[in-house]
Every structure is written in C-alpha cells, then in structure tokens.
Amino acid sequence: QSALTQPRSVSGSPGQSVTISCTGASSAFGDYNYVSWYQHHPGKAPKLIIYDVSKRPSGVPDRFSGSKSGNTASLTISGLQADDEADYHCCSYAGSWVFGGGTKLTVL
Amino acid sequence: QVQLVESGGGVVQPGGSLRLSCAASGFTFTTFAMHWVRQAPGKGLEWVAFIRYDGSNTYYADSVKGRFTISRDNSKDTLHLQMNNLGPEDTAVYFCAKDGVGFGEFGNWGQGTLVTVSS
C-alpha cells in the first residue's frame, strides 16, 4: 500500500478556514472510502475527528469536515479557534492501514 | 468514558526485548478489535499491529513482522505488545487504539508510552 502525502504545515487566523490535503496513489485508497483524520495535541491522546471520508464522531463540532476527490482526501476546518492548533494525521485503510506524514496547524 | 492507559515503555539496548501493556476501561473490551500505532520522533504515525476482538486473528506491519507479537487478555481487559530484537528504528511513542464504530478507523487512543532503543 502506497504512502499518503500531507503538507508539513498550514496556518490560518482565528475565524478563517483551512484545508489540509492527503494525497496518494490510487492504491493508497483502493476501492474503499475508509479515510479517517486525527487531531493530535503533542503529549496527549490522538482524537478521531473524521471517519469514512466525511463522517463525524459524536461530539466533534461541524466546523470539521472531510471530503475526497480522486486520489486526494481533504480535511477542512472552518471558524478556526486557538485550540485547533495541533497536528493532523490522515489515514487510509485499503487492506492495511497507512498514515500520512502529519500536518502541523498553526493558528496565527 | 473510554480509557486506554499504556505502560511498559523505557530504555532498552539494541537486540533487547520489551513488553508493552494497555489497560482498557469504559467499554466492553471483549467486543472490539484493538491496535498498536507508533510515532517515531519527528515523524508521522505508523500502524504496527491489529488483533481481532477474540484474539483469533492478528496482522502486522512489514516493519515489525516476525519480531513483535500482539496479544490480549479479555479476562483482564488488557492488550499487550511483545517486542523482540529491537533496533534504533523502533524508537517511538507507542499508542494503543480501539477500533471505531465504522470500518478502518481508530476510535479511541491512549496517551502513549515511550520506547527508546539505545546503547
């Protein structure tokens, strides 16, 4: 299963929106829509924020949304807040689990 | 609420062994598959191993196959990872994670335990 590529860092001001991409070869996603996203504040437990490309677990605000087009999955965070500053990781399951390299989000 | 607490990390010499544990609470442990995921310093997350809810099937990343063994004790709500023949490339924070309600995602995570392989 191929690797997934994420930008090393993104930034935005409070209230703005940011989008984090997650790109892979077609084999990275296979014929499945099992893409998930995790928010990770260093030193704490990672948190699932999106699964099955665009579904949100209970308790995750609708400011977080996911999508996928072709070989690129995306996470959009709208109405940025200071607490959104964290690392974000995409993951795809296509017979095995593979993660992207992670993206550091800075809230300016 | 779901709690996953890892333990057993530490410093070990190359070629050595270590056994990690993950104590689970707040959910019916016997009905969920479990995983180990690791993060090397400055790197992204890497899936390591999977075990079915009843322990009947296990899967491993190629990087650890033949060296690591995942197991679970459903009578004690505990997940284990036996790591043998450790190398510097195994230095990482190791997280245990519970399967999600969908398919293919990690629904809940622990805070991790640090394993350092160094002479």
Side-chain angles (χ1 to χ4, degrees):
Chain A
Q1 191 173 2
S2 302
L4 299 174
T5 301
Q6 298 180 234
R8 295 274 295 192
S9 64
V10 298
S11 63
S13 299
Q16 288 187 332
S17 295
V18 294
T19 296
I20 299 172
S21 61
C22 173
T23 302
S26 58
S27 59
F29 298 108
D31 294 328
Y32 309 104
N33 281 318
Y34 299 137
V35 177
S36 52
W37 289 89
Y38 304 88
Q39 178 190 61
H40 187 204
H41 291 101
K44 300 201 171 181
K47 177 185 176 182
L48 174 68
I49 54 174
I50 296 287
Y51 68 100
D52 290 356
V53 174
S54 60
K55 296 178 181 176
R56 277 187 311 276
S58 173
V60 174
D62 60 7
R63 301 187 298 106
F64 294 88
S65 62
S67 63
K68 179 172 169 284
S69 178
N71 294 341
T72 298
S74 299
L75 170 71
T76 297
I77 308 171
S78 59
L80 270 179
Q81 301 178 0
D83 190 51
D84 295 335
E85 184 161 299
D87 297 323
Y88 291 84
H89 302 266
C90 65
C91 180
S92 171
Y93 175 80
S96 185
W97 292 268
V98 65
F99 285 91
T103 298
K104 180 175 178 57
L105 168 63
T106 300
V107 180
L108 302 170
Chain B
Q1 73 279 23
V2 173
Q3 274 206 314
L4 298 168
V5 180
E6 302 91 341
S7 62
V11 179
V12 61
Q13 291 189 336
S17 299
L18 212 56
R19 188 191 196 210
L20 305 183
S21 297
C22 171
S25 61
F27 66 101
T28 306
F29 183 72
T30 55
T31 62
F32 282 91
M34 298 292 294
H35 304 259
W36 287 98
V37 178
R38 68 184 180 183
Q39 185 174 33
K43 304 289 187 181
L45 297 169
E46 178 189 16
W47 170 77
V48 172
F50 161 94
I51 186 166
R52 205 163 172 252
Y53 68 95
D54 58 358
S56 60
N57 283 96
T58 57
Y59 301 102
Y60 299 92
D62 288 343
S63 57
V64 306
K65 203 172 295 183
R67 301 187 299 122
F68 289 14
T69 302
I70 187 172
S71 63
R72 62 193 298 160
D73 185 341
N74 281 353
S75 69
K76 296 182 179 178
D77 291 357
T78 303
L79 178 72
H80 299 288
L81 185 68
Q82 177 66 43
M83 306 185 295
N84 297 331
N85 192 20
L86 285 160
E89 68 278 9
D90 298 313
T91 293
V93 175
Y94 285 73
F95 301 95
C96 73
K98 166 186 162 289
D99 227 24
V101 295
F103 190 88
E105 80 275 11
F106 308 94
N108 301 85
W109 301 63
Q111 287 194 299
T113 186
L114 176 62
V115 172
T116 302
V117 184
S118 173
S119 54

